[in-house]
Amino acid sequence: MTGVVARNKAGAEPRVPLSRERVLRAAVRIADEGGIRALTMRRLAEEVGAEAMSLYYHVANKEEVLDGIADAVVEEINDVVGRLDVPSRGDGWKTAVRRRILSAREVLLRHPWAPGVFESRTTMSPAVLRYHDGLIGLMRDGGFSNDLCHHALHALGSRALGFTQELFDPGDAAGGDDAAALAGMAAELPHLVGMFMEVAHDDPDSTLGWCDDQTEFEFGLDVILDGLDRLR
């Protein structure tokens, strides 16, 4: 319904008609500022200055909003990687793929809520398919068979889009009390505690306390790419 407009607050600029694009931009802004839990239909209506029911002319429900903002982030990624100019023929494939994935990660770091939304989606959107199509193109430039491209996508998993599903997520466990508690378990878990205590000692200023998330992401990515290069 094209006649739906945002409410005009006292002293505000002239009312701007609502659109799906405007609603989704506002939803991304809310999630960026307060996390995905802050994104409710009521909060979204407040953000665009409209009645809550007006949103439903543009998005059917919360799930459609989540689909839309996930697509918006992937479109942002596609825009960024589409501007990359890295030779991918022959041996250049690995540098090109690495640059593509790390560029996607830079976008996700601006939208830290996005990986959780990606994981909750049940289908791949056209935007995600376009991203992976470009990734496969770089591997094909490097001499990969279609079969090896298929294996590569499985090996990369979510890492292809710039994020990982970590087995260990220390969260706030970097504090001194937690470290002391962990040290007290050394007799029961000698290898695990020994590893954690050494990592924490070697890198006390890391982003997660126990490890540097970006360093670990790149380490895992390089291990996979090096292995794929040997198979190539």
Side-chain angles (χ1 to χ4, degrees):
M1 182 174 180
T2 58
V4 177
V5 296
R7 293 196 306 270
N8 191 22
K9 299 178 182 178
E13 295 296 323
R15 292 182 295 180
V16 179
L18 279 183
S19 66
R20 178 181 171 85
E21 180 182 1
R22 183 170 170 236
V23 169
L24 294 178
R25 281 202 309 268
V28 170
R29 187 162 58 248
I30 292 169
D32 286 347
E33 293 173 355
I36 202 65
R37 290 185 178 180
L39 179 58
T40 64
M41 298 303 279
R42 177 177 295 181
R43 176 70 183 85
L44 185 53
E46 292 174 354
E47 184 72 13
V48 297
E51 299 292 343
M53 289 303 297
S54 299
L55 296 179
Y56 295 104
Y57 290 107
H58 307 283
V59 287
N61 48 42
K62 175 73 173 293
E63 286 301 305
E64 188 170 321
V65 172
L66 295 177
D67 285 340
I69 62 175
D71 276 356
V73 171
V74 181
E75 290 290 7
E76 185 178 342
I77 290 173
N78 284 337
D79 182 61
V80 168
V81 301
R83 295 196 299 269
L84 295 177
D85 185 16
V86 183
S88 55
R89 292 290 177 185
D91 292 342
W93 80 272
K94 187 164 65 171
T95 298
V97 166
R98 190 179 194 275
R99 180 76 177 277
R100 182 183 183 88
I101 290 174
L102 292 181
S103 295
R105 180 170 175 78
E106 289 178 6
V107 173
L108 290 188
L109 290 175
R110 297 197 291 269
H111 308 290
W113 51 268
V117 175
F118 290 161
E119 291 170 357
S120 70
R121 302 302 89 195
T122 57
T123 60
M124 277 196 177
S125 72
V128 174
L129 294 176
R130 285 196 299 274
Y131 176 83
H132 282 92
D133 183 74
L135 184 62
I136 292 169
L138 297 179
M139 291 188 285
R140 293 287 285 165
D141 285 348
F144 280 53
S145 66
N146 280 320
D147 187 57
L148 186 54
C149 287
H150 178 220
H151 289 308
L153 290 183
H154 278 288
L156 287 165
S158 66
R159 198 180 299 270
L161 263 173
F163 71 98
T164 56
Q165 299 163 310
E166 296 290 352
L167 177 61
F168 294 107
D169 182 10
D172 296 328
D177 292 342
D178 294 293
L182 185 59
M185 301 174 67
E188 182 180 356
L189 306 169
H191 304 297
L192 185 64
V193 172
M195 181 191 72
F196 277 149
M197 297 309 293
E198 182 174 329
V199 170
H201 175 74
D202 288 349
D203 193 9
D205 297 321
S206 66
T207 56
L208 293 179
W210 298 114
C211 57
D212 184 307
D213 194 40
Q214 183 69 22
T215 297
E216 300 307 334
F217 181 88
E218 294 187 27
F219 174 83
L221 177 61
D222 289 338
V223 167
I224 295 171
L225 296 182
D226 288 346
L228 291 171
D229 200 40
R230 287 193 294 272
L231 289 173
R232 180 181 68 96

